[in-house]
Amino acid sequence: MNINYQKAAISDLTLVLELVEEFHETENLGFDKNNVRDVLIQFLSNEFFGQTWLIWQEDEVIGYIILTLGYSLEYRGRDAFVDEFYLRPQHRGQGIGTQTLRFAEEICHSLGVQALHLEVDFENPKAQRLYHRVGYQKHERFLMTKLLNREA
């Protein structure tokens, strides 16, 4: 299994948008193509926000991972969040997810990131097992969100 990672650029917008749409459909998340396109253009144009990586097997794109960057006093510096991580269904259960999370950790080390966070649905035990297996732990707190823009 030959897996490679390519940092996505604005020239990859159509491909990334296609993958994001697949992910949002799979996870029953809202998807407004024009809105997501605008947000992706902003994100891909400014590495201050983070990075998007395409996951390739041979000559086929099979998924993507988006890392967003932040800063935390609690974690003593730069932190990151796995904002989205998607593998096409036929490529799951083969160790690619584990390999991709390790790759994300390497990227974070190179960026000086002190802590890497992610969220997982309560009803997704397969993903929970993967994340636990590679070292992610439940926190004594839980994520809460307030939408500041109704369109988000």
Side-chain angles (χ1 to χ4, degrees):
M1 169 176 55
N2 189 15
I3 302 299
N4 294 298
Y5 302 94
Q6 171 196 336
K7 190 187 305 185
I10 197 71
S11 59
D12 299 307
L13 177 64
T14 301
L15 180 56
V16 174
L17 190 59
E18 174 186 320
L19 291 164
V20 170
E21 184 172 12
E22 287 178 27
F23 173 67
H24 284 225
E25 286 176 4
T26 300
E27 296 297 316
N28 295 314
L29 301 170
F31 184 80
D32 176 327
K33 193 169 195 164
N34 291 327
N35 186 289
V36 173
R37 177 186 292 116
D38 292 345
V39 171
L40 278 172
I41 288 170
Q42 239 181 355
F43 189 81
L44 293 171
S45 299
N46 190 339
E47 284 200 8
F48 175 79
F49 297 133
Q51 299 177 355
T52 301
W53 292 85
L54 295 169
I55 307 165
W56 291 84
Q57 185 174 37
E58 307 300 333
D59 60 350
E60 175 189 8
V61 66
I62 62 169
Y64 71 100
I65 189 166
I66 295 177
L67 299 173
T68 60
L69 298 172
Y71 199 87
S72 169
L73 293 177
E74 179 180 353
Y75 294 107
R76 309 296 187 259
R78 199 174 219 190
D79 67 345
F81 197 94
V82 176
D83 186 56
E84 293 193 357
F85 178 25
Y86 174 69
L87 283 175
R88 288 181 164 153
Q90 64 271 29
H91 299 282
R92 298 176 189 167
Q94 303 172 30
I96 300 168
T98 299
Q99 181 179 333
T100 300
L101 290 169
R102 300 259 188 251
F103 172 79
E105 289 175 25
E106 291 173 18
I107 294 300
C108 287
H109 282 297
S110 74
L111 296 172
V113 169
Q114 304 298 313
L116 180 57
H117 316 281
L118 56 75
E119 64 181 327
V120 60
D121 285 337
F122 293 114
E123 289 83 30
N124 193 342
K126 286 183 181 180
Q128 290 175 33
R129 284 191 297 275
L130 165 64
Y131 298 144
H132 184 73
R133 191 172 54 248
V134 297
Y136 289 85
Q137 301 297 316
K138 290 182 183 176
H139 205 277
E140 290 82 34
R141 293 168 273 176
F142 56 93
L143 178 67
M144 296 177 68
T145 304
K146 180 178 180 179
L147 297 179
L148 301 177
N149 180 346
R150 290 278 179 210
E151 295 177 24

